[in-house]
Amino acid sequence: MSRCAEAAAVAATVPGAGVGNAGLRRLMVPRQASFFPPPVPNPFVQQTRMGTARRIQIFFLGIILLPIRALLVALILLLAWPFAAISTACCPEKLTHPVTGWRRKITQPVLKFLGRALFFSMGFIVTVKGKVANAVEAPIFVVAPHSTFFDGIACVIAGLPSMVSRNENAQAPLVGRLLRALQPVLVSRVDPDSRKNTINEIIRRATSGGEWPQMLVFPEGTCTNRSCLITFKPGAFIPGVPVQPILLRYPNKLDTVTWTWQGYTFIQLCMLTFCQPFTRVEVEFMPVQVPNEEERNDPVLFADRVRNLMAQALGIPVTDHTYEDCRLMISAGQLTLPMEAGLVEFTKISRKLKLDWDGIRKHLDEYATIASSSKGGRIGIEEFAEYLKLPVSDVLRQLFALFDRNHDGSIDFREYVIGLAVLCNPANTEEIIQVAFKLFDVDEDGHITEEEFSTILQASLGVPDLDVSGLFKEIAQGDSVSYENFSNLPRIIQLENGRAGIQTPDILALGPTPLTCTLSALLEGLFLSAASVAKQNGAS
């Protein structure tokens, strides 16, 4: 059984040209059901459509509401600043001890009241469900889905718990002082040990037995359009303490709050929201979730269970997208591809295919090279053939079908990455050799002639003057090569080149490589052997 545990995707049916039994043959390469496309292709895009009547309504309401609400927001922030200053006076930016005593007793109730007043002045009508757990019952709140900067309302309703924030935010005028009043865990982008220090600080506070304020974390780590729950980062679950999930809903006819990577800007959303008569938001406190022994030892397991519970309560699916997918989206845009082309469900792909972000990013460069001339940033059979420098044939369509997992006639970036990894799987070596033989056997007579052998090698390897006559004579029986001889070539090449001190890649131990090498390391091995023969013949 291969590492692709569940089998069975069928590629195109092609004539069996002397390989195995004659007649029709289906090439089978194992596939995992878990690699099926996600239920939500792109959770990082939001398109709010407004009709003419709605635009007119927003315009006239905005004339009245926008200046009033903007003035109220500014006034409340100015009122909150002196209380935040009192709370943080004589305290270092990075706290070593919690703020206690009279300062906290005086400032916290006032800041809670002003926080509620702030969101009310913006037009938010808040509905609260469930009971807020105290610091002993649940040291950490986890909030999802995270879809907007307005999600800060959960912090106000939960009683102003501490949050994780960038160090730069705490240094901003006015807002920085208000943030410091929450006693946040500050993250530095320039400190290489920042991630480790942040985790240690979260553990220290979460296990303090209520000495520190509770912590509030958005485990998704980035904003989505609330159509699903993406991968939860394990940071909030590493301490192994009980957590209380908080659900956020915005049940409005017109969505003016969602702030994603593709959609309205910060200023546009503020203006649209301030111009609404009101904006509804529901904050639901779910029952506290206590980790079992296995989940204490495996925070990812704990995070997945909590995410599934929250998704079930929200009635939405889960996907394995993460912030790294957003980075790939940006990279795709820089390569003149549609931004959504970079989405691969990074968490799933990286875990199952053992790929890191840099490896997938390199694949994106390769993919862009092939797909740049196509419409919509997807690879069609023509681009596929052009990149491999091979004619469109039944065999090439068969190979194309191994990448085209949903059989829609094109290959997206996700299918490209999975296809490379699966075809380079040692368990699939026999299938790759069969495809390679059929690519060489242009006239489909079950044998490879010297002309076919040299033509394919020269085109695939980009070496038009390559002389392979010596190599062909060594492996041919008479004036052609049979499939039996061809299938033994990888091992023969390795043995012969090993004796000659030439390094040849092992097709049986290959990792993901560019598409030309996926056609096989066999071609690269043949090339090295041909170069060896040419060298022996005195050629350069």
Side-chain angles (χ1 to χ4, degrees):
M1 190 81 173
S2 73
R3 66 182 172 93
C4 294
E6 299 176 356
V10 180
T13 301
V14 297
V19 181
N21 296 330
L24 296 179
R25 181 182 180 278
R26 291 179 179 270
L27 178 63
M28 304 287 289
V29 171
R31 296 190 179 179
Q32 288 194 5
S34 59
F35 277 137
F36 288 169
V40 178
N42 187 359
F44 306 110
V45 62
Q46 174 63 20
Q47 296 177 339
T48 300
R49 294 181 174 84
M50 292 182 286
T52 304
R54 177 70 73 174
R55 293 176 183 273
I56 294 173
Q57 178 189 19
I58 290 174
F59 175 77
F60 284 107
L61 286 174
I63 294 175
I64 303 171
L65 294 177
L66 183 58
I68 294 174
R69 285 177 170 165
L71 184 63
L72 286 173
V73 168
L75 179 62
I76 291 171
L77 290 176
L78 288 174
L79 287 173
W81 188 88
F83 291 95
I86 293 171
S87 176
T88 58
C90 301
C91 293
E93 204 168 79
K94 290 190 176 182
L95 297 173
T96 55
H97 300 283
V99 176
T100 56
W102 64 270
R103 287 190 299 180
R104 183 167 178 81
K105 289 180 180 178
I106 292 175
T107 59
Q108 283 300 102
V110 176
L111 291 175
K112 289 177 185 178
F113 172 78
L114 291 176
R116 288 176 178 266
L118 178 68
F119 281 96
F120 179 77
S121 68
M122 296 179 188
F124 283 93
I125 298 177
V126 184
T127 302
V128 180
K129 300 178 181 179
K131 179 185 176 183
V132 182
N134 60 41
V136 176
E137 294 171 327
I140 298 177
F141 297 113
V142 288
V143 185
H146 185 27
S147 62
T148 175
F149 46 85
F150 291 123
D151 289 345
I153 198 168
C155 182
V156 174
I157 301 301
L160 299 183
S162 299
M163 302 178 69
V164 179
S165 180
R166 291 184 303 166
N167 191 52
E168 295 84 353
N169 294 339
Q171 298 173 356
L174 184 61
V175 176
R177 182 65 70 169
L178 296 173
L179 176 63
R180 286 178 58 192
L182 300 179
Q183 305 180 61
V185 175
L186 297 177
V187 180
S188 173
R189 289 187 170 183
V190 297
D191 182 4
D193 297 324
S194 180
R195 173 178 166 79
K196 180 181 69 176
N197 295 337
T198 299
I199 294 297
N200 290 337
E201 182 64 14
I202 292 175
I203 294 173
R204 184 170 75 93
R205 295 191 183 192
T207 56
S208 66
E211 180 182 350
W212 283 89
Q214 290 164 284
M215 293 204 62
L216 184 143
V217 178
F218 294 97
E220 291 175 294
T222 189
C223 290
T224 70
N225 55 19
R226 297 190 300 280
S227 59
C228 63
L229 292 185
I230 64 172
T231 301
F232 277 12
K233 300 287 186 180
F237 305 92
I238 289 176
V241 298
V243 301
Q244 182 170 34
I246 302 177
L247 305 178
L248 290 177
R249 302 182 182 91
Y250 293 88
N252 303 288
K253 290 183 178 179
L254 180 66
D255 183 3
T256 63
V257 300
T258 301
W259 190 41
T260 56
W261 290 80
Q262 289 179 282
Y264 288 120
T265 64
F266 174 86
I267 298 297
Q268 289 172 328
L269 287 177
C270 285
M271 294 181 65
L272 284 172
T273 302
F274 288 6
C275 292
Q276 301 305 308
F278 54 84
T279 302
R280 290 191 176 91
V281 57
E282 294 179 0
V283 182
E284 181 180 349
F285 293 85
M286 294 182 67
V288 173
Q289 300 301 313
V290 181
N292 56 37
E293 188 62 33
E294 186 179 5
E295 291 170 338
R296 288 192 187 95
N297 297 325
D298 187 354
V300 173
L301 190 65
F302 188 22
D304 287 345
R305 179 172 71 82
V306 172
R307 181 178 66 146
N308 290 335
L309 285 173
M310 297 176 76
Q312 185 177 6
L314 291 163
I316 58 177
V318 299
T319 71
D320 288 306
H321 294 102
T322 188
Y323 173 69
E324 281 71 19
D325 283 287
C326 299
R327 294 173 63 194
L328 287 168
M329 282 178 61
I330 294 173
S331 298
Q334 294 171 344
L335 293 170
T336 68
L337 293 171
M339 288 186 69
E340 59 271 14
L343 297 175
V344 295
E345 283 195 296
F346 181 85
T347 301
K348 179 184 293 183
I349 296 297
S350 61
R351 284 180 187 172
K352 291 183 175 292
L353 302 183
K354 309 301 181 185
L355 293 173
D356 58 14
W357 191 87
D358 290 332
I360 295 178
R361 179 62 179 79
K362 289 178 182 177
H363 285 323
L364 184 60
D365 289 333
E366 300 158 9
Y367 179 84
T369 302
I370 310 172
S372 57
S373 62
S374 64
K375 294 180 180 179
R378 300 171 71 92
I379 300 172
I381 185 67
E382 292 80 12
E383 292 83 15
F384 193 76
E386 173 64 23
Y387 182 67
L388 294 175
K389 306 210 179 338
L390 295 171
V392 176
S393 63
D394 287 341
V395 179
L396 192 71
R397 290 190 180 94
Q398 183 180 18
L399 181 64
F400 181 86
L402 297 179
F403 285 83
D404 182 15
R405 302 178 67 81
N406 60 359
H407 307 295
D408 65 352
S410 63
I411 301 170
D412 62 24
F413 178 55
R414 187 175 185 276
E415 292 173 322
Y416 176 81
V417 172
I418 296 171
L420 288 180
V422 170
L423 288 181
C424 290
N425 189 319
N428 302 328
T429 301
E430 178 68 20
E431 305 293 349
I432 304 305
I433 292 174
Q434 290 176 2
V435 171
F437 181 85
K438 290 182 179 181
L439 286 172
F440 278 95
D441 184 15
V442 177
D443 59 6
E444 300 185 353
D445 65 351
H447 293 81
I448 300 172
T449 65
E450 182 175 349
E451 182 181 359
E452 292 171 331
F453 190 71
S454 60
T455 299
I456 297 298
L457 267 182
Q458 290 168 357
S460 297
L461 297 171
V463 186
D465 298 326
L466 179 66
D467 182 7
V468 297
S469 59
L471 175 63
F472 182 83
K473 290 176 181 177
E474 285 190 6
I475 63 175
Q477 289 183 340
D479 57 356
S480 65
V481 177
S482 68
Y483 175 71
E484 183 179 357
N485 291 80
F486 190 84
S487 63
N488 290 326
L489 272 176
R491 293 301 185 197
I492 295 172
I493 290 170
Q494 287 171 344
L495 289 172
E496 293 299 321
N497 286 351
R499 293 188 187 120
I502 300 173
Q503 297 238 347
T504 306
D506 185 358
I507 191 173
L508 300 180
L510 219 79
T513 59
L515 183 57
T516 48
C517 291
T518 302
L519 262 180
S520 73
L522 178 64
L523 294 182
E524 189 171 350
L526 288 171
F527 171 73
L528 291 173
S529 292
S532 175
V533 171
K535 184 176 180 180
Q536 292 171 6
N537 292 336
S540 58

